Amino acid sequence: MCPHRSESSYHMYTVCIYVYVYYCIFTAAMFMWRPVTVKQPPTITKQSVKDFIVDPRDNIVIECEAKGNPLPKFSWRRNGKFFNIGNDPLVTMRKRSGSLEIGFRNGRRPEDYEGEYQCFAANDFGIALSNKILLRVSKAPLWPKEVLEPVVVTEGSSLILTCNPPPGLPPPLIFWMDSNMNSIPQDKRVSMGLNGDLYFSNVLSQDAHRDYCCNARFPFTKTIQQKNPFTLKVQTSRKVAESTPTLLAPLGSESSKMVLRDEELLLECIAAGLPTPTVKWFKKGGDLPARKVKFENYNKTLKIINVSEEDAGEYVCMANNHLGSIRHSIFVQVKAAPYWLDKPSDLVLAPDENGRLVCRANGNPKPSIQWLVNGLPLESTLPNPNRQVLGDTIIFQSVQFDSSAVYQCNASNQHGYLLANALVSIIDMRPRMLGPKNQLIKVIQNKQTFLDCPFFGSPVPDLRWFKNGQGSGLDGGHYRVYVNGTLEIKRALVGDEGTYTCVASSMLGTAENQVRLEVKEPTSIVRAPEHQSSVRGSTARFDCKVKSDPSLHITVSWTKDDKPLYLGWRLKKDEESLTIPNVNEGDEGTYTCTVKSEIDQDSASARLTVLGTNMWTLIPPLNRPNPPMDLDLSDASARSIRLTWIPGNENRSPITEFLVQFEEDHWEPGRWTELASYPGHLNSVMLQLVPFINYQFRVIAVNSVGQSQPSRPSPRYKTSGAPPDAIPRDLRGWGSEKDNMEIIWEPLSDLERNGPNLHYKVWWRAKDSGEEWNNVTTIDSKYVVHNTQTYVPYEIKIQARNDFGSGPESNVIIGYSGEDIPDVPRTFRIKRRGLDFIHLEWDKPGEPNGILLGYQLKYYTVNGSKEGTPQVETFFPNMTQFTLSLPDRAVSYKFFLSALTQVGHGVVVAEESPPFANEGKSHFCLFLPFFCNYTKLSRAGRYGLL
């Protein structure tokens, strides 16, 4: 408590109040800054589909849900204008959600609410947007009234009964029935087209009926509407003339069709003629995509699912009978609504950190990219010096806490649009481990192994692995560290056993976790069961001898024909075998021995064939197939060839699969590699090849028993060369010295070369300089640029080339030249000195010469020639002041300050504090200047100076 005010204590009271207020403000500020939970901009978690068709009989629910901290508040726009929900009593918003529910009463119609809706979820850190939701009400219009005259046609002629259903939303399903609700039989001669019409390739006398009814079923209302029936009269003759094929749909010799990527392509070809023509389909310049093609409606409809750009081209349907044929060409053009190449993802940054959002989409035509922030076009917002837009990329530099927002990327063309929300969250959080502590991992010797170390921190920590707490970080050679923290051991050996420690570190601190790795011998069957034939009444024995790691517990089990084997009084199992005494016909089958440990297993199978006592009834056992024969090459082209073979004997077990292997005699001669596998009913396949390889092939047959021996190799076939198809991966640029930049990349593999004399062309230039590109050609996978300025961003790209030409260029990436020690911190000074403190301030270095990691302050007391023990303080790069509490006001201090980059400490700047000599009032003047000014004013007034 402050003392009671009196004349003698007036000045002391004023000082006490001032100090008390200062203390309260400081305490409140500290409380407010204490983090409770991580703040997060909104994220849309659920929304209705873009094209939203609703049933008019139900209430309408337009979904929009989002998460965020604090919880988002929701609002809507309808047809681009603010939708005031409070003004419409039929519209309500669900609690803790943005979903709208529209009920109907008082004569309002669902059609009144048709339109385009968009949901906005907002909190203090940003605004997220839903897609634009086009709300339409399902419609089932009535069939127009019409009087249908009887249809009269001559026997043998073609006929089309038109349907013309009323337009519905969504379109109705069409089917033809008679008045008794029996389906009209359809076949190769009579069938319904895609437009709902009923087509007769030729009319027979039995087609005469009074009630051909076209029916439309509307899925939302679950109603069926029926068109007035057609009456068909057929004029017969003693002899019906045959006719050559003609086309009923489509008409003419050519037509065109446009389809969107990833949608379904339906091509139709319906022919007239007598006898009924047969329809076949072809694609000019290539084969029909076998895995995506289906033939429907008795081969009159060609359907291709998941259309891609490769499916564009000329499709030909041919209708023929024994009198002739007719063709029609359909030119298919594939367009594409926008689809993602690189969807923007959430970005978590620390203060003063750099980052980028990338939004890349493709389509046909190429989509335009628009950026928004919190729902507003980026160009309409205030300029932000920490943000730069470069087409499909936003670059952030030296972000601050107020930079948190939700950014939207809109990619659109005439066929559709994509909208993606990406959070930009500015968080300052020390590293932490997310996975379980001190795991024990057991792995099999010589197997690939992954040790996980999930972590988090902002800024993103550097992660390093250590083995047994010794040596430098593990990466390269036997090991590979992924960006998510996982350590890959490419081939675990006994020497890899030990304790592995992953350490995540940033300027805010470190976190670590440990994984104990034990390497075990594999579990394997060293003496497997063999196929055998046993006479009824004899004893059969299957061996199964196992080898395993002595520290692992194993179990051995037997199955028969893939079902658990009951071991009763007759069947006996020991550690190394299964015995079947008194064999009978029920024992015949395939027996499998399976041995399991906690981390691996092995199995082996053999078949038991039971023979009768008559030796003439002996049946040969199942066996592996014989190898394929007579390999032949044909239809050779630059990148493909047809391989044909004759299958060998199946040996009582059908061939299920053929394995095609290849060997090339330049890079790895003598090494056979699997190229592809094919179903067992094929013996002629088209192989996809790589340029500039001298191939030979062999085929292996597979049945339930196992694989055959390889066939004899085919003749060799050398593909012609071509420019490289691949782009060198993992292109990076970084400085190893203050005046250089190392450009490195992963070289193309041998099978990616496509020709001789593979080399790389590398370009670089200073970013935003407007300079011409520098370039060099090299056969290496690294190039060092010398004489660079210190820590300058560069644009870099690369291209692979060979004697046949140039491959595609890579995207431009940003690299940096090397860092150096920073300049001296500017204006280092003692700002204030009080009774018991010294307050220091400084400014950032004029040239950081790299990423500024922080500052180091060393100081010690000075008493004459005697120096005290040095003390060290470190600061984050955004901290430029420090207050030192003084144990003794008469002590003098020396201070030494330097900035820090990854290279090391920069130039040191020094400052010395003299001892505090003045006593009495001067203490208050330094600490409480208001009090001293008040005293001076009082004295000036007292002596008549005011």
Side-chain angles (χ1 to χ4, degrees), residues 728-801:
R729 293 173 287 274
D730 201 18
L731 176 64
R732 290 173 289 165
W734 62 280
S736 59
E737 301 291 344
K738 66 180 181 181
D739 58 352
N740 77 1
M741 178 178 63
E742 294 187 2
I743 304 175
I744 58 176
W745 59 91
E746 183 180 328
L748 301 189
S749 67
D750 294 336
L751 295 182
E752 292 175 327
R753 291 172 173 260
N754 288 4
N757 191 24
L758 177 69
H759 52 282
Y760 304 94
K761 187 169 184 179
V762 185
W763 291 268
W764 73 93
R765 68 180 177 187
K767 186 176 180 296
D768 299 330
S769 65
E771 298 175 353
E772 294 295 324
W773 288 94
N774 301 291
N775 67 81
V776 69
T777 300
T778 178
I779 62 173
D780 298 321
S781 59
K782 173 181 176 180
Y783 180 75
V784 181
V785 180
H786 295 284
N787 299 321
T788 66
Q789 297 181 31
T790 301
Y791 198 64
V792 172
Y794 281 84
E795 295 178 312
I796 306 170
K797 60 182 180 178
I798 193 171
Q799 177 190 58
R801 299 182 172 193

Side-chain angles (χ1 to χ4, degrees), residues 540-580:
R541 174 188 168 94
F542 289 110
D543 291 326
C544 186
K545 186 175 181 180
V546 176
K547 181 183 179 183
S548 65
D549 192 288
S551 65
L552 296 178
H553 174 71
I554 63 169
T555 59
V556 179
S557 60
W558 288 86
T559 58
K560 178 189 173 190
D561 298 330
D562 296 327
K563 297 179 181 179
L565 184 63
Y566 174 70
L567 299 174
W569 60 272
R570 190 167 66 91
L571 275 63
K572 304 295 183 183
K573 182 189 82 168
D574 57 30
E575 293 182 355
E576 296 186 359
S577 65
L578 172 71
T579 303
I580 308 174

